[in-house]
Every structure is written in structure tokens, then in C-alpha cells.
């Protein structure tokens, strides 16, 4: 699995892990008023296991909007939103509503084989996904997907934004 | 870590670094700031003493999860290179040109504080409100605190069928139990507790397939306790047949509407709501004494074309609806802030190319003032990130003269002082925030918003 990564991605992975562990030292100016880490479980999400459980480490590859790949080891039982926040992955504006099914910014695209094995979506997730940019047949909201052992080695993509010379096309509905 | 980013920007010879200011402390302002902070110091100027714009004053009280973005905005506001200046009215206390002299770049993110008018006789009668003002009233916007809407009539008519219209309908019909622990203002809660409104009609020019609201909000209407749906089956002719060809989002929305038409709901329900399609307002009708609105005259339309671009055409038929509360929810509207800034009065936006204001180097825009007043917070987020990216690109390409040292907030604060204006800093907003949470706690609510600007200032500067 690791052999498939180019050395750039591996370095980035190490940087990400280092950055998250050094975060309190490197960013004295950006104090957190409220914990952004998603311990509060949204009403329809499958239960996240508590931290420090004996859940095994699962390798997940994230590819962001710019095509940059980050590979991280995550704990079984965390949601993919938890992972992005905890590992401080470079994905702009991810998880705006903090996992409460009130937005679609944690939209991720899965490999078909993985998508087919995920827990089915509840209406409220589909409602939000329906508003997402770049919706595909294998799209899910990251806050609703809990990491499990069998996902080891999977790759998830952050959707590309639609851009043309004149600027972004508006894919969202009116407020 | 931050320093290395700043030094990458070309042309930098002064030690103070690039300085950018943002006009408007709502979601567009904060999201733009968030991205810019990676490369430059950012100051945010906001007219009110309190930040967050429509997240605070627009999002419905029963949608607290949508307001979670305030957490990320708070981090931005507390960032060591971000400086929030509330209580500063750009355009009145300080001009755009003065800001442009003090900063390397200025971003306009001041949103849409006006509303589109229906342009019909009687629109100014008591009993007629813009949704913007009605929402501002229950959300504690200081300028709407004296609205005192009369809720003693049975029927309310809302013009427009977007999510704002549905928010208003839901707040009018929701049981008080659903609202009493939220951050809805106490005076609105009490007015709603005594409300006689039992029937809300939500009126649109076109048909069910053109409705602008989204499914989450429709679901909330369908699920309202003690309320039934009252639709006109005639409005839905041909819709069932069209379902199969619709893209999934539109299909699911339409299916839910059809379900509401078919099932109607509990006959014993005391309250009802319904869509009325193919109808445009032509006149607000006054009672015999002419003193207030007692009804609305609607013109019946037919649809030309189909899908999102279908047009409403007049048929000549009219219909009068008795009602005592009329709320026009047909769109917010931006207004020009300063004669020095180009403004397109037809589209009511600042003319721009990808966020660069037309013919004005160093001036940018993000959010509703750039794109028009539609879209949810995430739309504005992506848009703001785009503007920030463009601005940074311009910095790195040498399009902004960063070799000149700009004084930033130091100069503006001094200028404001000579004009008797004092800013509210982010840490001072946090005192207002704490006071509101404390007041809320004693009422069993998330917060009790301060409605008076002077009260806010007193607490901020205490």
C-alpha cells in the first residue's frame, strides 16, 4: 500500500501528522473558543467510538480539490469528518456545520466498491447531498461515514469545484 | 510558520507586511478573512457592534446547527493577525477611498441590507412587511425592534417560495414549545404565543416545478405538529407525469410536495399552510377605512416553457384573498455603499470580474454584494475563498504595490477618533456575547439578544 504513494505524498503525510501534534505550539494566536472536534454525535450518525478504544488503525487516502493526496492512519469508529479535523487536513471549508446535517461541505466521493458497502443514507443526508457541488453516484457526506477495518487503503476524493473563465457556476439553489 | 508565507509575497520590502481590510463582518467577510490570513494581516470593519451578519440575524432560531459556523468565525476573529472593528459605518464614518489609502487592498463583503419591493399599490399599508424585516424582528436586528407586527388575524399570505418564505411560515405556525428555548427574541416569542394566525399561504408566480425552496425546509413544514397541508390539486396538474424526467434533487422535492397534497394531514389540526402557485400580487387591499391591509389581489398566471427557465404569463384573471398579514419574501437587495464604488443598479451588485471590482485596482468583493442575494452559507464560503485566492494571486503577481508601507488600522482608528467614532474590538464583542448568554440562561434560552445598540456599546466598553 505504502509503496504506491510517491515520496511527496509520504512527506506530506508526515507533515500533517507532525503539524497536528505540534499545533498548540505553533499557533499561539489562534486559540479555540469552542472545541471544533466533533464529539457531539449528530442525531442520525452511527455512534463514534470513544477515543483511545482498542479500534485498529486504518489507512485512508484523501485527495483534496487541488489533487494533493494525504495519507493518514485513522482510528476505527471515527467519522471521516472527525478525521479531517483531527488530522488538520488541507481541505478548505470542510465541515462547516460540524456534522449536524445542515450543510454539504463534508461531501466526499468514494470508490464504487467502497460506496456499495457503506450503511444506507437516511433522508436527511440525501436532502443535504442533493445541494452539493459536483454530486456523483458515489458521493456521501463525510460526517455520516464511520471508519471501519474493511476500509483500510481506500481513497476518498474531495469534489472538484466547477470553474470556467467567468468564475464559478452557481450550482446551489436560492436561499 | 505564518511568517514564511508572508515573505513569499513578492515586492515586500517594508517590515509591516501586506494589509487588507474587509468591509462587512458577516459570513462573506469572515470566510474571506480566513483565507487571506494565511498570507496577510486582515482588519474587518462592521457597522454593528456585533459580528456575523445574517448568521446571527437571518438564520432561523430553530436552526441552531446552521449557526455552528460561528465557531470557525470566532477562531478567525481571535487570530493574532485579524482585527475586528465593530460599530464602524463604512460610507458614513469613513470612506472607501480613506480605506484604500490605509490598506493595500479592500474587500467589499457588506451583503444585501435592502429588499426587493413588490412595486404594487398598497405595499406601504400597515400589515405589510418585507421578509427581511420580519426575520430581523424575530432575530433581534436592532433596526427592526419596533416592528410590532399585528398577529391578530387568522390568515397570513407570504409572497415568494424560497427558504426564507418557508422559515417565516414555520416560525408563524410552530408551537411555542419548539421556540421557547431558542435564541428567538423574547418580545417575538411573546407576540407569537399570543398570535391568532392559523393559516399561512405561500404564494409563487410559477408552478411546483419552479419552486425555489429546498427539501429540508419543506420537510419541516410537512412535519409541523398540529398543522395540516392545504394545497390546490389543480395547481399540480401534469406534475406526476413530469416526475420521471427530473434530476434527483428536484424529483425528491416534488415527490414530497405531491405526498403533502395527497395526504393533506390531520383534519383535527388547528392550523394549516399551503402553497398557491401561478399567482402574482397586483394590489394590497385596504379595509373600508383604508387604514390597513385586509387582503391581497393576485393575478393568475400561466406557464410558458418548462423547467427552471419557465416564464409566468398573465391570463387576466384575478383572485382576492382575505388576510391581515402580508409578508413579501421576493429577495434581498444590495445598495451602493459609497459613490467611489461602481454599482450596477439593475442587478444591484458591485460589478466585478471574479471578485475584482471593475476598473478599480485594489478593490475586491465577496458574498452577496458580488454575486447577488442567493445561496446558502456554503455558497458564500466558496465564493469568499475564490475572492481571497484572486487577491493573493494579484499580490504575488505584483498587481498590488506592496512596496508601499500602509498604516492600516492605526490610521483609520485615529481618523475615526477625530470623528467621535470608537470601534468595538472582538474581545469586546465577547463581553456582549457573554452578557447575552447569561441573560438567556435565566430565561431558559440559548441567549437573549440585546436589541439596543447603545446597550451593546455600554457592555462592550465597560
Amino acid at each position: 500500500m505504502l509503496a504506491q504513494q510517491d515520496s511527496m505524498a509520504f512527506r506530506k503525510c508526515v507533515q500533517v501528522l507532525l503539524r497536528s501534534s505540534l499545533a498548540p505550539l505553533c499557533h499561539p494566536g489562534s486559540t479555540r473558543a469552542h472545541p471544533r472536534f466533533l464529539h457531539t454525535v449528530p442525531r442520525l450518525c452511527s455512534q463514534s467510538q470513544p477515543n483511545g478504544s482498542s479500534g485498529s488503525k486504518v489507512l485512508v487516502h484523501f485527495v483534496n480539490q487541488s489533487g494533493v493526496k494525504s495519507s493518514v492512519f485513522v482510528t476505527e469508529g471515527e467519522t471521516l469528518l472527525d478525521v479531517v479535523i483531527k488530522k488538520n487536513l488541507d481541505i478548505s471549508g470542510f465541515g462547516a456545520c460540524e456534522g449536524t446535517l445542515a450543510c454539504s461541505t463534508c461531501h466526499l466521493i468514494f470508490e464504487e466498491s467502497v460506496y456499495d458497502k457503506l450503511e444506507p443514507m437516511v433522508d436527511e443526508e440525501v436532502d443535504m447531498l442533493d445541494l452539493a457541488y459536483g454530486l456523483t453516484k458515489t458521493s456521501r457526506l463525510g460526517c455520516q461515514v464511520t471508519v471501519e477495518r474493511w476500509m483500510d487503503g481506500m481513497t476518498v476524493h474531495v469534489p472538484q469545484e466547477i470553474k470556467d473563465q467567468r468564475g464559478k457556476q452557481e450550482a446551489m439553489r436560492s436561499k | 510558520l505564518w511568517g514564511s508565507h508572508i515573505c513569499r509575497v513578492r515586492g515586500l520590502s517594508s517590515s509591516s507586511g501586506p494589509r487588507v481590510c474587509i468591509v462587512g463582518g458577516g459570513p462573506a467577510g469572515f470566510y474571506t478573512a480566513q483565507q487571506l490570513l494565511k498570507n496577510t494581516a486582515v482588519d474587518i470593519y462592521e457597522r454593528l457592534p456585533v459580528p456575523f451578519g445574517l448568521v446571527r440575524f437571518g438564520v432561523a432560531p430553530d436552526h441552531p446547527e446552521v449557526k455552528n459556523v460561528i465557531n470557525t468565525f470566532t477562531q478567525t476573529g481571535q487570530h493574532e493577525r485579524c482585527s475586528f472593528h465593530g460599530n464602524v459605518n463604512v460610507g458614513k464614518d469613513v470612506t472607501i477611498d480613506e480605506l484604500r489609502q490605509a490598506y493595500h487592498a479592500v474587500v467589499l463583503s457588506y451583503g444585501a441590507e435592502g429588499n426587493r419591493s413588490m412595486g404594487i399599490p398598497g405595499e406601504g399599508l400597515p400589515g405589510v412587511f418585507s421578509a427581511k424585516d420580519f426575520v430581523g424582528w424575530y432575530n433581534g436586528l436592532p433596526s427592526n425592534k419596533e416592528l410590532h407586527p399585528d398577529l391578530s388575524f387568522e390568515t397570513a399570505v407570504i409572497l415568494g417560495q424560497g427558504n426564507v418564505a418557508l422559515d417565516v411560515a414555520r416560525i408563524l405556525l410552530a408551537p411555542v414549545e419548539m421556540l421557547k428555548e431558542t435564541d428567538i427574541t423574547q418580545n417575538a416569542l411573546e407576540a407569537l404565543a399570543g398570535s391568532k394566525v392559523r393559516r399561512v399561504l405561500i404564494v409563487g408566480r410559477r408552478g411546483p416545478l419552479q419552486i425555489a425552496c429546498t427539501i429540508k425546509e419543506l420537510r419541516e413544514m410537512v412535519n409541523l405538529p398540529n398543522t395540516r397541508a392545504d394545497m390546490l390539486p389543480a395547481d399540480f396538474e401534469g406534475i406526476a407525469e413530469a416526475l420521471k424526467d427530473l434530476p434527483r434533487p428536484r424529483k425528491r422535492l416534488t415527490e414530497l410536495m405531491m405526498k403533502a397534497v395527497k395526504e393533506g394531514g390531520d383534519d383535527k389540526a388547528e392550523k394549516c399552510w399551503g402553497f398557491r402557485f401561478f399567482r402574482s400580487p397586483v394590489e394590497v387591499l385596504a379595509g373600508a377605512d383604508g387604514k390597513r391591509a385586509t387582503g391581497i389581489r393576485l393575478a393568475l398566471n400561466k406557464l410558458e416553457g418548462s423547467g427552471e427557465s419557465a416564464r409566468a404569463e398573465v391570463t387576466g384573471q384575478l383572485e382576492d384573498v382575505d388576510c391581515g398579514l402580508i409578508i413579501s419574501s421576493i429577495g434581498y437587495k444590495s445598495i451602493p455603499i459609497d459613490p467611489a464604488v461602481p454599482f450596477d443598479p439593475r442587478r444591484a451588485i458591485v460589478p466585478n470580474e471574479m471578485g475584482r471590482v471593475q476598473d478599480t485596482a485594489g478593490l475586491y468583493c465577496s458574498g452577496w454584494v458580488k454575486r447577488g442575494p442567493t445561496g446558502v452559507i456554503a455558497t458564500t464560503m466558496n465564493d469568499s475563498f475564490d475572492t481571497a485566492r484572486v487577491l493573493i494571486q494579484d499580490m504575488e503577481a505584483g498587481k498590488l504595490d506592496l512596496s508601499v508601507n500602509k498604516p492600516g488600522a492605526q490610521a483609520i482608528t485615529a481618523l475615526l477618533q477625530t470623528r467621535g467614532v470608537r470601534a468595538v474590538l472582538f474581545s469586546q464583542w465577547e463581553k456582549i456575547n457573554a452578557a447575552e448568554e447569561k441573560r438567556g440562561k435565566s430565561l431558559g434560552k440559548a441567549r437573549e439578544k440585546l436589541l439596543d445598540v447603545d446597550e451593546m456599546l455600554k457592555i462592550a466598553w465597560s
Side-chain angles (χ1 to χ4, degrees):
Chain A
M1 215 72 62
L2 282 173
Q4 285 173 15
Q5 295 172 31
D6 58 33
S7 57
M8 258 287 271
F10 183 76
R11 245 179 278 136
K12 173 99 185 155
C13 170
V14 170
Q15 274 172 33
V16 164
L17 292 171
L18 276 178
R19 210 175 338 141
S20 60
S21 60
L22 290 173
L25 298 173
C26 292
H27 303 273
S30 69
T31 49
R32 298 196 162 187
H34 303 268
R36 273 186 77 208
F37 181 64
L38 192 67
H39 275 302
T40 50
V41 178
R43 52 199 151 96
L44 297 157
C45 180
S46 52
Q47 289 293 318
S48 274
Q49 289 181 16
N51 243 351
S53 72
S54 59
S56 61
K57 291 294 184 182
V58 177
L59 179 64
V60 179
H61 308 285
F62 286 84
V63 179
N64 77 2
Q65 298 102 316
S66 315
V68 175
K69 189 167 167 181
S70 303
S71 300
V72 290
F73 286 99
V74 304
T75 313
E76 238 188 308
E78 294 183 324
T79 68
L80 290 176
L81 174 58
D82 295 338
V83 171
V84 171
I85 306 286
K86 242 172 95 176
K87 303 291 189 188
N88 209 15
L89 298 182
D90 187 18
I91 305 174
S92 281
F94 201 82
C97 77
E98 302 183 2
T100 53
L101 286 175
C103 76
S104 57
T105 61
C106 68
H107 173 200
L108 291 169
I109 300 170
F110 292 78
E111 297 154 308
E112 204 174 323
S113 53
V114 173
Y115 177 83
D116 289 340
K117 285 157 71 179
L118 295 174
E119 293 283 309
M121 286 187 267
V122 294
D123 278 342
E124 284 76 0
E125 181 183 348
V126 190
D127 287 353
M128 287 298 114
L129 260 182
D130 275 354
L131 307 181
Y133 282 107
L135 189 64
T136 70
K137 289 191 158 63
T138 57
S139 287
R140 290 293 299 264
L141 294 183
C143 68
Q144 300 300 298
V145 177
T146 302
V147 173
E148 290 172 33
R149 285 267 289 274
W150 61 265
M151 296 177 187
D152 192 45
M154 77 171 171
T155 302
V156 296
H157 282 81
V158 177
Q160 293 283 314
E161 284 161 24
I162 305 161
K163 271 180 157 62
D164 66 4
Q165 284 297 100
R166 293 155 298 163
K168 188 181 295 301
Q169 277 177 37
E170 183 131 349
M172 303 286 270
R173 289 159 178 269
S174 303
K175 166 115 182 73
Chain B
L1 249 137
W2 297 113
S4 63
H5 279 280
I6 291 184
C7 289
R8 255 191 22 233
V9 177
R10 211 171 10 118
L12 184 63
S13 59
S14 65
S15 54
S16 58
R19 293 187 192 277
V20 177
C21 79
I22 297 178
V23 179
F30 274 88
Y31 274 128
T32 307
Q34 213 172 73
Q35 285 299 106
L36 288 175
L37 278 170
K38 296 177 187 172
N39 294 70
T40 167
V42 180
D43 293 337
I44 301 175
Y45 291 93
E46 160 61 44
R47 181 172 54 196
L48 285 170
V50 298
F52 310 139
L54 282 178
V55 176
R56 176 179 164 102
F57 295 116
V59 175
D62 60 340
H63 287 167
E65 62 286 342
V66 177
K67 303 190 201 193
N68 281 344
V69 292
I70 286 179
N71 296 335
T72 190
F73 295 165
T74 298
Q75 282 181 46
T76 298
Q78 291 171 341
H79 193 287
E80 60 182 353
R81 283 169 339 135
C82 181
S83 202
F84 173 81
H85 302 262
N87 194 45
V88 177
N89 187 334
V90 175
K92 179 169 154 282
D93 298 335
V94 60
T95 67
I96 293 291
D97 279 341
E98 285 165 342
L99 289 178
R100 289 176 71 209
Q101 279 170 47
Y103 292 90
H104 295 102
V106 175
V107 185
L108 303 172
S109 309
Y110 65 81
E113 68 188 73
N115 64 277
R116 284 181 66 206
S117 84
M118 291 188 282
I120 62 175
E123 189 164 7
L125 282 169
V128 184
F129 303 97
S130 68
K132 177 187 79 71
D133 286 341
F134 195 80
V135 170
W137 168 72
Y138 64 64
N139 274 338
L141 186 61
S143 52
N144 292 136
K145 67 179 186 287
E146 307 293 343
L147 205 75
H148 302 302
D150 185 342
L151 305 178
S152 62
F153 299 88
E154 187 192 82
T155 301
V157 169
I158 302 173
L159 290 319
Q161 297 172 327
N163 284 341
V164 178
L166 265 64
D167 277 355
V168 170
R170 191 179 71 252
I171 296 296
L172 279 171
L173 294 176
V176 166
E177 294 73 54
M178 262 173 64
L179 299 174
K180 70 180 201 292
E181 288 174 11
T182 68
D183 64 4
I184 194 170
T185 63
Q186 196 62 19
N187 57 340
L189 189 64
E190 283 163 9
L192 289 165
S195 164
K196 300 278 190 296
V197 175
R198 294 289 175 268
R199 181 167 169 253
V200 177
L201 298 177
I202 308 169
V203 180
R205 287 175 305 127
R206 300 185 294 171
L209 296 180
Q210 287 76 38
I211 202 170
C213 66
T214 53
I215 196 169
K216 174 174 186 264
E217 284 72 13
L218 178 59
R219 236 185 250 293
E220 289 170 331
M221 290 306 297
V222 169
N223 293 337
L224 268 179
N226 195 19
T227 310
R228 65 180 170 81
D230 161 25
M231 312 276 205
L232 300 178
D235 280 352
F236 290 84
E237 259 165 51
I239 298 300
E241 293 73 20
L243 274 176
K244 61 180 174 5
D245 297 320
L246 299 172
R248 188 180 85 179
R250 180 58 77 184
K251 182 162 185 272
R252 293 177 73 243
L253 177 61
T254 311
E255 281 172 341
L256 183 57
M257 253 194 291
M258 303 287 297
K259 187 159 173 264
V261 178
K262 202 165 119 197
E263 293 174 7
D266 182 11
D267 282 335
K268 294 191 301 299
E270 289 173 350
K271 295 182 278 189
C272 71
W273 69 280
F275 293 127
R276 292 291 179 271
F277 294 100
F278 311 108
R279 288 155 169 83
S280 298
V282 293
E283 188 178 344
V284 174
L285 306 169
D289 62 5
K291 287 222 171 82
R292 68 151 0 260
T294 56
I296 188 159
R297 178 157 292 162
L298 304 171
L300 268 53
N301 302 324
K302 64 179 195 297
L303 220 55
E304 289 302 315
S306 65
E308 311 291 330
S309 58
R311 285 178 337 273
E313 304 268 335
V314 291
T315 59
Q317 281 181 277
L318 297 171
E319 179 184 278
D320 288 354
V321 178
D322 291 336
C323 56
L325 179 64
I326 294 169
I327 298 181
S328 136
S329 183
I330 59 173
Y332 286 62
K333 195 162 89 166
S334 295
I335 60 173
I337 193 173
D338 187 304
V341 177
F343 193 79
D344 177 345
R346 191 184 62 83
R347 293 181 60 195
I349 57 166
V350 171
N352 69 93
E353 256 314 302
M354 307 213 308
R356 295 182 180 98
V357 175
Q358 212 170 70
D359 305 325
T360 323
L363 194 59
Y364 300 80
C365 53
S366 69
W368 281 5
V369 79
K370 166 187 172 192
R371 276 182 2 261
T374 61
V376 295
I377 294 174
T379 327
T380 287
M381 177 183 84
N382 284 308
D383 172 270
S384 301
F385 289 173
D386 283 349
T387 291
R389 229 172 280 140
V390 158
L391 200 162
I392 300 294
Q393 265 172 40
D394 286 356
M395 279 187 168
E396 292 176 348
K399 288 193 186 151
L400 299 170
D401 187 2
L402 299 175
S403 62
V404 178
N405 196 11
K406 293 284 191 178
Q410 212 178 9
I412 300 299
T413 303
L415 192 56
L416 290 171
Q417 203 170 37
T418 68
R419 296 168 184 173
V421 178
R422 181 183 168 186
V424 171
L425 304 177
F426 202 79
S427 55
Q428 292 168 334
W429 138 249
E430 287 176 318
K431 287 201 247 176
I432 299 173
N433 186 35
E436 290 184 342
E437 287 178 338
K438 187 162 172 230
R439 281 159 41 117
K441 204 156 174 200
S442 63
L443 292 162
K445 296 162 76 178
R447 76 172 56 234
E448 185 56 42
K449 290 176 187 168
L450 289 164
L451 302 183
D452 190 82
V453 168
D454 288 331
E455 258 191 85
M456 291 176 181
L457 294 176
K458 191 152 160 255
I459 290 174
W461 295 331
S462 64

